[in-house]
């Protein structure tokens, strides 16, 4: 897929849906199209580091990094950079330690602190990570920041952005294909689209968040940060986020569920941390 982004392909597919003769072609050759897509999915399957989960990524690594760089440039244009030198230094120091543990020297890692009261952070494909100042009262210290940056670096390491784009592309293709089989009825197509949106994308996002928590614990431990502090951090986040929607309406796991999962994973990562801590002077 090098040189052709998921967004471009989706645009092409949308135009195809407006052409009657192409819709007829889709109906006629539905089985062959399905076979081609199945072959494409086999070629694009890969495994997520640490968890080993199989994932589908239809975007080349080069294009993924390029898309992340472009999105990062846009973010910097539209956001206000923090001038708090101590906090900026903290974010970069912790970020570089976590990035070293991720062992992806091909990524152009960058850790930026943005002025925003929302307690949040996000990662872009290829290693660009932004932290909002609103999360600093919750992270409190270096280890708390390591929880956040371990989670965000995990998103980049696991190619979650590229996987989401690939899933969106297949959803577009699937919607067009189903519409073709059902005769292209507009109301049916909308129903299919809604079903894909609620039935696939939301649970898929929650699985990404949980996987990032899991990988993030490993990265924390490898970088010499105590992964047990993740429980403390998410309890603070839970207290700060009173009134959030229930888990089934959110793209993120509930804080309570998140804490339960982390506690189950701790025996897996504590030996890594203890070994790393023993090496430190």
């Amino acid at each position: 897929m090098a040189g052709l982004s998921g967004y471009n392909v989706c645009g092409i597919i949308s135009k195809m849906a407006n052409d009657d003769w192409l819709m007829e072609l889709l109906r006629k050759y539905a089985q062959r199209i399905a076979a081609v897509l199945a072959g494409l999915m086999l070629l694009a399957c890969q495994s997520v580091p640490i968890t080993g989960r199989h994932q589908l990524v239809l975007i080349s690594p080069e294009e993924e990094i390029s898309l992340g760089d472009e999105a990062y440039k846009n973010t910097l244009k539209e956001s206000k950079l923090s001038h708090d030198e101590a906090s900026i230094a903290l974010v970069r120091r912790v970020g570089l330690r976590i990035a070293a543990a991720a062992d992806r020297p091909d990524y152009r890692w960058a850790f930026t602190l943005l002025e925003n009261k929302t307690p949040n952070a996000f990662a872009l494909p290829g290693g660009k990570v932004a932290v909002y100042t609103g999360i600093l009262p919750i992270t409190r210290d270096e280890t708390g920041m390591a929880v956040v940056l371990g989670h965000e670096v995990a998103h980049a390491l696991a190619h979650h952005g590229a996987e989401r784009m690939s899933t969106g592309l297949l959803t577009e293709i699937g919607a067009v294909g189903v519409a073709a089989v059902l005769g292209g009825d507009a109301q049916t197509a909308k129903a299919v689209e809604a079903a894909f949106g609620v039935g696939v994308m939301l649970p898929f996002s929650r699985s990404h968040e949980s996987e990032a928590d899991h990988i993030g614990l490993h990265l924390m431990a490898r970088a010499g940060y105590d992964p047990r502090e993740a429980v403390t951090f998410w309890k603070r986040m839970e207290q700060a986020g009173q009134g959030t929607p229930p888990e089934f309406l959110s793209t993120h796991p509930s804080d309570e569920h998140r804490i339960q999962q982390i506690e189950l994973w701790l025996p897996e990562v504590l030996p890594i941390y203890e070994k790393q801590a023993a090496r430190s002077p």
Side-chain angles (χ1 to χ4, degrees), residues 5-7 59 62-72 125 165:
S5 74
Y7 295 120
I59 301 166
E62 296 79 13
E63 185 173 26
E64 180 187 9
I65 292 174
S66 177
L67 289 169
D69 286 347
E70 188 64 29
Y72 181 64
M165 287 181 66

Side-chain angles (χ1 to χ4, degrees), residues 80 82 84 87 91 112-121 130-140 145 148 233 236-237 240:
K80 182 180 179 181
S82 171
D84 181 345
S87 296
V91 169
T112 305
L113 184 63
L114 302 178
E115 285 288 347
N116 192 308
K117 294 181 180 180
T118 306
N120 198 16
V131 176
Y132 288 169
T133 52
I135 206 168
L136 295 178
I138 304 173
T139 57
R140 292 188 182 177
M145 182 58 67
V148 173
F233 168 81
R236 291 199 297 266
M237 181 67 87

Side-chain angles (χ1 to χ4, degrees), residues 48-51 53 55 98 121-123 146-161 163 204-220 230 234 251-253 258 261-262 265 269:
V48 175
I50 297 176
T51 67
R53 177 180 65 85
Q55 65 181 168
I98 296 290
F122 62 87
V147 178
V148 173
L149 294 182
H151 176 91
E152 297 306 333
V153 167
H155 276 306
L157 189 64
H159 306 284
H160 285 162
E163 187 177 5
F204 187 67
S205 270
R206 286 196 293 270
S207 72
H208 274 188
E209 290 298 320
S210 294
E211 187 169 57
D213 284 341
H214 191 179
I215 296 172
L217 290 176
H218 277 263
L219 297 178
M220 280 186 70
W234 285 111
T251 58
H252 290 58
R258 190 167 229 154
Q261 286 186 313
I262 288 171
W265 290 323
V269 297

Side-chain angles (χ1 to χ4, degrees), residues 1-23 25-26 63 168-177:
M1 297 293 292
L4 188 63
S5 74
Y7 295 120
N8 291 338
V9 175
C10 289
I12 293 169
I13 294 296
S14 297
K15 290 178 182 178
M16 286 172 59
N18 293 323
D19 292 331
D20 292 339
W21 70 274
L22 281 174
M23 295 297 285
L25 195 66
L26 279 172
E63 185 173 26
L169 171 60
L170 290 179
T171 301
E172 283 280 339
I173 294 172
V176 171

Side-chain angles (χ1 to χ4, degrees), residues 237-246 255:
M237 181 67 87
E238 184 178 28
Q239 292 174 353
Q242 298 298 327
T244 54
D255 293 325

